Amino acid sequence: MSEDQVMELAGRVALVTGASRGIGKAVALKLAGLGAKVAVNYVAIEANNKVDADNVVESIIRLGKEAMVVEADVRDSEAVRAMVEQVTDKWGKIDILVNNAGINRDTLLLRMSDEAWDDVINTNLRGAYLCTKFALRSMMRQDWGRIINISSVTGLVGNVGQSNYAASKGGLIAFTKSIAREMGSRNITVNAVAPGFIITGMTDKLPAERKEAILAMIPLRRFGQPEDVAELVAFLASERAGYITGQVITIDGGVFA
Ligand code: NAP
């Protein structure tokens, strides 16, 4: 990393959804490492989630950087409004929004419950819609903003047993392109990142033989790490990516090259 990149996000305020673990946690740590103040979002569904989010904030503070925990279920309009207000009350603005919070409820379409469909669409797509809508107000006031949506290769090519997840991630790509067009004149860039197989709690639960079959398809011969995705997100959040908008960047070790 060149010297001028070391603190290239100094003065920026970032909100990362679903930052208590996995990719969101790596993104929060990376953005903070580059100097941004980071709001670490989590949702209070499981008892240990607050501990995880608190640990991320403590790690950032130990680096000598600023961070805060913001609890909100991204599916809930009022909770998202309050979360954005909490961040802007404390730090005055939001420059960078990373819509990362996401879930999967995999099953074949004929066995899919309405609940599994709604849960995934509401978290992955409605959540990004709500966070973007509320965070945009601050970005528009300052004519500067970066929105990075964490989609998936599944949103580009589909996958057996993931029709709900694929629809949410494909929808997120179409949403990204639309908001990029709406916000271009305000100097706000909106891009999507489409990871392949990244080692996190989401992928841990797959059976070993399925993981082996996936690994065999990856030209780089390894699974992705959350930090691989965080590097790309940090670039898109930086000044260096100022002429990139409405794009989907795949990060999958070359599977869909
Ligand atoms: P993960 O380890 O399961 O983490 C998911 C995060 O989302 C957690 O922080 C969780 O918070 C949060 N979350 C879930 N529902 C939420 C809600 N309603 N409101 C707020 N936060 C919520 O997953 P991951 O693998 O890091 O995935 C992160 C993103 O990358 C997701 O959008 C996923 O679809 C995408 N992605 C992952 C992969 C992969 O291979 N891992 C590949 C492509 C795309 P709590 O801790 O509070 O539950």
Side-chain angles (χ1 to χ4, degrees):
M1 197 188 299
S2 75
E3 210 145 275
D4 56 345
Q5 281 168 237
V6 171
M7 287 294 282
E8 69 177 344
L9 299 181
R12 299 287 181 209
V13 172
L15 168 59
V16 184
T17 67
S20 52
R21 48 202 167 86
I23 293 171
K25 173 183 177 179
V27 168
L29 292 170
K30 181 72 195 176
L31 298 184
L34 293 170
K37 294 172 182 160
V38 180
V40 173
N41 161 255
Y42 76 105
V43 59
I45 293 176
E46 285 167 25
N48 68 341
N49 297 0
K50 174 139 175 44
V51 176
D52 290 342
D54 282 341
N55 286 340
V56 175
V57 167
E58 272 166 34
S59 306
I60 292 173
I61 290 170
R62 270 201 303 276
L63 293 172
K65 308 285 162 57
E66 281 184 72
M68 71 191 285
V69 170
V70 281
E71 191 268 312
D73 184 334
V74 296
R75 297 170 295 185
D76 177 344
S77 179
E78 183 47 38
V80 171
R81 192 199 57 71
M83 167 172 72
V84 166
E85 200 174 283
Q86 210 183 324
V87 180
T88 52
D89 279 355
K90 188 172 167 80
W91 290 325
K93 59 176 183 169
I94 294 176
D95 301 294
I96 300 161
L97 169 67
V98 183
N99 283 312
N100 167 79
I103 58 165
N104 61 339
R105 299 271 184 274
D106 297 352
T107 189
L108 294 171
L109 182 65
L110 292 181
R111 292 190 198 132
M112 190 171 294
S113 65
D114 295 350
E115 195 193 4
W117 177 270
D118 290 343
D119 265 5
V120 169
I121 299 287
N122 286 339
T123 305
N124 301 2
L125 188 53
R126 176 183 159 88
Y129 147 72
L130 289 171
C131 293
T132 301
K133 190 167 74 168
F134 287 108
L136 266 177
R137 290 172 190 167
S138 173
M139 296 179 187
M140 287 172 73
R141 268 198 295 277
Q142 62 198 19
D143 275 341
W144 199 96
R146 296 278 189 270
I147 298 171
I148 299 119
N149 295 322
I150 310 298
S151 179
S152 166
V153 290
T154 301
L156 289 166
V157 300
N159 198 15
V160 172
Q162 289 200 303
S163 58
N164 50 356
Y165 186 77
S168 72
K169 295 300 188 178
L172 192 53
I173 289 169
F175 178 72
T176 300
K177 290 177 178 290
S178 301
I179 308 308
R181 289 180 186 278
E182 284 187 25
M183 288 296 143
S185 65
R186 310 306 293 260
N187 196 30
I188 297 167
T189 68
V190 191
N191 291 291
V193 165
F197 189 105
I198 310 296
I199 296 175
T200 69
M202 186 178 275
T203 46
D204 260 2
K205 53 194 177 194
L206 286 175
E209 55 284 13
R210 178 89 187 99
K211 286 190 200 165
E212 272 169 41
I214 293 170
L215 185 58
M217 294 187 309
I218 303 176
L220 284 178
R221 290 287 175 263
R222 67 171 178 88
F223 294 127
Q225 295 291 336
E227 291 73 21
D228 291 316
V229 181
E231 286 292 338
L232 176 55
V233 172
F235 169 67
L236 290 171
S238 76
E239 208 62 68
R240 286 177 294 144
Y243 202 54
I244 302 173
T245 197
Q247 302 304 307
V248 190
I249 302 176
T250 296
I251 175 162
D252 69 348
V255 177
F256 294 104

